[in-house]
Amino acid sequence: SQKIEQNSEALNIQEGKTATLTCNYTNYSPAYLQWYRQDPGRGPVFLLLIRENEKEKRKERLKVTFDTTLKQSLFHITASQPADSATYLCALDPSNTGKLIFGQGTTLQVKP
Amino acid sequence: ETGVTQTPRHLVMGMTNKKSLKCEQHLGHNAMYWYKQSAKKPLELMFVYNFKEQTENNSVPSRFSPECPNSSHLFLHLHTLQPEDSALYLCASSQALAGVLAHEQYFGPGTRLTVT
């Protein structure tokens, strides 16, 4: 069956460290993958998109990698801050039509 | 603010009630989406409208009825809901170029629905 998996357990790290979140998928061949941030009681906010021909994408302290062989994306936040605490969702578009399939999200807690 | 607003933010309704959720986007987009987010479950795509035409109905029960009168407004009409329909309902919009849905989506804050 087709599915997207993110670590369901919360990730707790110390301020200043690098947070690494994982998104694995099976039985999809997406042209691109996206990452969103969601705070409690709010809608997801788009962060980054990486295409299948891109190995790595960066935006300020954020870095995303995309390995189509492993069917995995890694999301890194460097020099993490307590304000980075949120749930991070990965999403892909199996048919390249904008109809996104989301993972269940990983909650990140950055402690001061 | 993302440019997508939703009202009401909270709604409690009985199983025999009829209510509507409203979404408005101020981004000039022409594709709009309804998602359902239940506790401990991933976001589930419900409906997609592209240039006011419904292009996706993801096997949603008929007690949920969407309406898209123009590219800026989207409604979700609710009737005879079940307690398991209690969830956060999120609206999103995106650009569509020549009918092809672009990639990043902009979400509203959601309506927290409780069915009693």
Side-chain angles (χ1 to χ4, degrees):
Chain A
S1 62
Q2 298 174 315
K3 56 183 179 179
I4 304 172
E5 289 187 344
Q6 296 183 252
N7 289 346
S8 57
E9 293 184 11
L11 178 64
N12 296 298
I13 65 167
Q14 205 65 36
E15 181 176 9
K17 301 293 186 183
T18 296
T20 298
L21 285 68
T22 305
C23 177
N24 295 299
Y25 59 93
T26 57
N27 296 328
Y28 291 120
S29 296
Y32 61 91
L33 187 144
Q34 303 183 37
W35 285 88
Y36 288 79
R37 168 183 172 144
Q38 186 173 24
D39 291 283
R42 307 189 73 167
V45 175
F46 172 77
L47 295 176
L48 280 168
L49 179 152
I50 185 165
R51 301 183 189 281
E52 60 180 338
N53 60 348
E54 298 175 313
K55 295 297 183 186
E56 182 179 297
K57 198 83 167 277
R58 291 176 185 261
K59 178 183 176 182
E60 298 173 351
R61 294 184 295 109
L62 309 180
K63 184 179 83 171
V64 172
T65 62
F66 192 13
D67 189 325
T68 55
T69 301
L70 291 179
K71 294 187 180 293
Q72 180 182 79
S73 176
L74 298 178
F75 177 81
H76 307 271
I77 305 176
T78 58
S80 59
Q81 304 166 359
D84 295 325
S85 299
T87 296
Y88 292 87
L89 312 173
C90 72
L92 53 83
D93 181 0
S95 53
N96 204 27
T97 56
K99 297 166 189 174
L100 295 177
I101 309 291
F102 282 83
Q104 75 270 31
T106 297
T107 299
L108 172 67
Q109 187 71 36
V110 181
K111 298 182 185 297
Chain B
E1 296 301 324
T2 63
V4 180
T5 59
Q6 291 187 243
T7 54
R9 294 294 309 276
H10 301 272
L11 178 62
V12 179
M13 60 185 289
M15 290 189 285
T16 58
N17 291 158
K18 290 184 179 181
K19 297 286 185 183
S20 295
L21 310 184
K22 178 182 176 182
C23 175
E24 183 174 359
Q25 58 95 1
H26 310 274
L27 300 169
H29 292 163
N30 36 40
M32 298 187 78
Y33 311 77
W34 279 116
Y35 287 87
K36 176 183 179 181
Q37 189 173 34
S38 304
K40 311 270 186 205
K41 293 178 70 175
L43 268 79
E44 300 172 59
L45 180 64
M46 299 175 71
F47 301 104
V48 180
Y49 277 82
N50 189 357
F51 286 95
K52 301 187 297 177
E53 298 295 322
Q54 184 176 317
T55 60
E56 178 80 8
N57 176 338
N58 200 18
S59 303
V60 181
S62 60
R63 57 185 184 271
F64 295 91
S65 174
E67 178 189 0
C68 188
N70 55 60
S71 295
S72 299
H73 294 86
L74 184 64
F75 295 89
L76 188 62
H77 303 300
L78 316 171
H79 64 97
T80 59
L81 294 191
Q82 304 298 310
E84 59 265 28
D85 296 321
S86 299
L88 182 68
Y89 288 85
L90 290 158
C91 172
S93 70
S94 72
Q95 193 55 274
L97 304 173
V100 177
L101 301 178
H103 307 306
E104 57 265 35
Q105 296 183 11
Y106 295 79
F107 285 82
T111 295
R112 173 68 62 186
L113 173 67
T114 302
V115 181
T116 61

